[in-house]
Each structure stands twice: as structure tokens, then as C-alpha cells.
Amino acid sequence: MEILNNISSQRYNNLLEFLAFLGVYDDEERLRVYKELIEGVGVKDKVVVELGAGFGYLSVFASEMGARRVYAVERNPYVFKILKKNVKGYKNIQPIKADALKFDPGEEVDVLIHDFYGPLLYDESLYILDNLKFKPKAVIPNGGVLKCGVLELERIGDPTVDIDVLKTFKNILVADLFDSYIKPKREFLVASWEFGKGLKTFQPEIPKTGEVLVFWLEILHNGKTLCSSYDCRNWPLVFTYNQGGRFILKFSWRGDYSVVRFGWIT
């Protein structure tokens, strides 16, 4: 989905976020995994916060699972309008229009629910969880990793992307460049994040055989893999031309999301 006509930058950004939520809820596998996690952790008689609550589906689920109180926090005005409509009638859900970085419920929080992962792990909003105004007893999910691997272009079999097209994307990370969801035989750890410990990045040695470097996200809770870009399609695979060797991947917070810096070390 893409907005093509020229509108004010703030409204444009808000509407882009709104469209993103439509795509998030198309991912039924992601919703199933999150609901199973909430049910497994248990929220009965607990105070729950959902940051970036979107349309409030997980807040409603937590309410139905017996939560004593649920704070559904969402800053986007278009999304928040629908959130309020969806949680109307749930007396234990309090919709709050606020920036997650500034939010403080003023009481002890038992469980925090979020979906701040980007396709490159830390390229959206996990920074917020490392800089909260309050300390929840539990965060779900509480971890994640970014992995990469190498694929041969001919194995992908995309007639529109030949080697010359692929080389155009040197040092450029492209989401959904290929429709193929082939997983590399060998994988490398690029970054990891755990609540309370923050982000760690690594510089694996990438083989030069294989023209395509693919990155994928894996969401973890207590060290167990819940979902990945290969089965929860809300998070796209990310591709670039493989030059082999080591690369730099860094993230810097810009107030709304983390900007990615990527480049091969020569």
C-alpha cells in the first residue's frame, strides 16, 4: 500500500501508520501466536498495558482473559478513533491517546504487551521498551533476533531481477524484493534484543558464494522462537546484493523510529 498524492507530511505519516495496521491484522498467524502467548502467560486479575495498541484486538483479548485493567495506548489519531470504537463496552479497558515513550500508568503493571519489532528487529520501536517511564513485571514478547543467510539468484528464480538489477542495490536493503520464501541452508546471527538487556549487534563473516543476502526476524519469548518472517508475513524478508565478508548494521533513534545504517566493510 502506498499513498501517491501530495499531502501534509504529518498527516501523511499518520496515514502511513494507519495503513500499516491494516496489514498487521491481515497476518492471522501473528495474531494466533500473540493470543497463545497472552493466554500462556496469564493475565487474570492483572494490570495490563498494551503499547502501540492499534485497533485494540489484543487489549480486548486480554480483557476477555480476565485482566483487572487494561491500558490500551495508541498515539495515531486515525488508529485511536477505531481503537476507542472497538473497546467500547469493555469497562476494564482504558483507551489512552499518548506517546508510548511518555506514558506512565501511575500504578504497578503486571504485563506489558507490544509489537514494536521491525523487519530488521530494531528498526521500528523496540527502543521504546529500553526507555520506558515505568517498570512492568513482565513483557511479552521479551526477545528477538535478526538473522541472515545467502541464496543463489538462480535458485530464487525471479525473471524480473537478474544480476544487473540486483547489483543496483549494493549497500541498499530492500524489503520484499522477491516473492520467494526460500530459507538459506546456513544462517548467521546479526543482532539480538532482550528486554532489560537491550540490543546487541554482531559482524558475522558472510561467504561470497551466492548473490543474494537475505535478512529475517525471529520473535522470541523466554528464549523460545514464537514467529519469524518466514511464517508471520507481517514482517517482510529483506534483501541486498551479497558482496561477501563483513558488514556494519547500526540503529539510531530519530524520535519515531530507528534509522538503519548498513554498509559492507572493505
Side-chain angles (χ1 to χ4, degrees):
M1 298 179 183
E2 185 178 1
I3 298 173
L4 300 179
N5 62 310
N6 185 25
I7 56 179
S8 66
S9 59
Q10 186 56 51
R11 184 171 180 233
Y12 177 80
N13 290 335
N14 286 335
L15 285 172
L16 279 182
E17 286 184 359
F18 181 81
L19 289 174
F21 275 107
L22 298 181
V24 163
Y25 294 122
D26 284 339
D27 190 346
E28 295 181 1
E29 179 65 13
R30 167 196 165 275
L31 281 174
R32 182 191 67 79
V33 167
Y34 269 72
K35 286 180 177 180
E36 284 187 357
L37 180 58
I38 293 169
E39 192 171 11
V41 170
V43 295
K44 184 174 176 58
D45 298 325
K46 294 182 178 180
V47 175
V48 176
V49 170
E50 184 185 5
L51 293 181
F55 293 169
Y57 294 164
L58 295 179
S59 289
V60 167
F61 185 74
S63 170
E64 292 173 344
M65 289 294 101
R68 175 161 54 90
R69 183 160 40 259
V70 180
Y71 295 95
V73 183
E74 176 56 53
R75 69 174 185 176
N76 185 291
Y78 301 105
V79 179
F80 186 72
K81 182 178 179 180
I82 295 176
L83 167 65
K84 285 201 301 182
K85 176 185 174 183
N86 288 344
V87 304
K88 186 177 181 180
Y90 291 87
K91 294 182 179 181
N92 58 343
I93 300 180
Q94 184 174 343
I96 297 176
K97 185 177 180 296
D99 187 323
L101 264 177
K102 299 177 182 178
F103 173 71
D104 188 343
E107 67 173 315
E108 193 170 62
V109 173
D110 297 299
V111 179
L112 184 154
I113 303 168
H114 76 97
D115 187 2
F116 285 155
Y117 301 95
L120 293 170
L121 181 66
Y122 209 78
D123 54 318
E124 289 196 5
S125 308
L126 283 178
Y127 172 92
I128 291 172
L129 298 184
D130 292 332
N131 295 273
L132 292 172
K133 295 289 187 183
F134 60 98
K135 293 183 178 181
K137 293 180 182 178
V139 170
I140 56 175
N142 60 14
V145 294
L146 178 67
K147 294 181 178 180
C148 74
V150 178
L151 294 170
E152 294 179 358
L153 185 57
E154 64 177 18
R155 187 181 174 206
I156 296 174
D158 188 331
T160 62
V161 182
D162 61 17
I163 189 62
D164 292 325
V165 172
L166 184 62
K167 285 182 177 179
T168 303
F169 299 109
K170 285 183 177 180
N171 294 315
I172 299 175
L173 302 176
V174 185
D176 280 335
L177 179 61
F178 300 102
D179 291 333
S180 171
Y181 270 72
I182 299 171
K183 195 169 185 179
K185 294 179 181 179
R186 187 181 176 191
E187 56 188 47
F188 303 88
L189 182 63
V190 179
S192 66
W193 173 83
E194 184 178 349
F195 180 72
K197 295 183 179 180
L199 176 72
K200 294 181 181 179
T201 57
F202 309 93
Q203 291 184 351
E205 185 74 29
I206 307 301
K208 293 185 178 180
T209 54
E211 301 87 354
V212 181
L213 183 64
V214 56
F215 295 84
W216 67 92
L217 167 71
E218 292 183 4
I219 295 175
L220 311 179
H221 187 73
N222 292 341
K224 179 183 177 181
T225 301
L226 302 175
C227 202
S228 83
S229 306
Y230 280 97
D231 41 45
C232 292
R233 301 297 178 86
N234 172 55
W235 297 283
L237 298 176
V238 178
F239 301 90
T240 190
Y241 173 66
N242 177 37
Q243 298 183 58
R246 298 183 185 276
F247 56 78
I248 292 174
L249 188 71
K250 292 185 177 181
F251 305 92
S252 53
W253 182 251
R254 291 292 177 85
D256 287 318
Y257 56 89
S258 291
V259 176
V260 182
R261 178 190 171 199
F262 172 82
W264 291 91
I265 300 172
T266 55

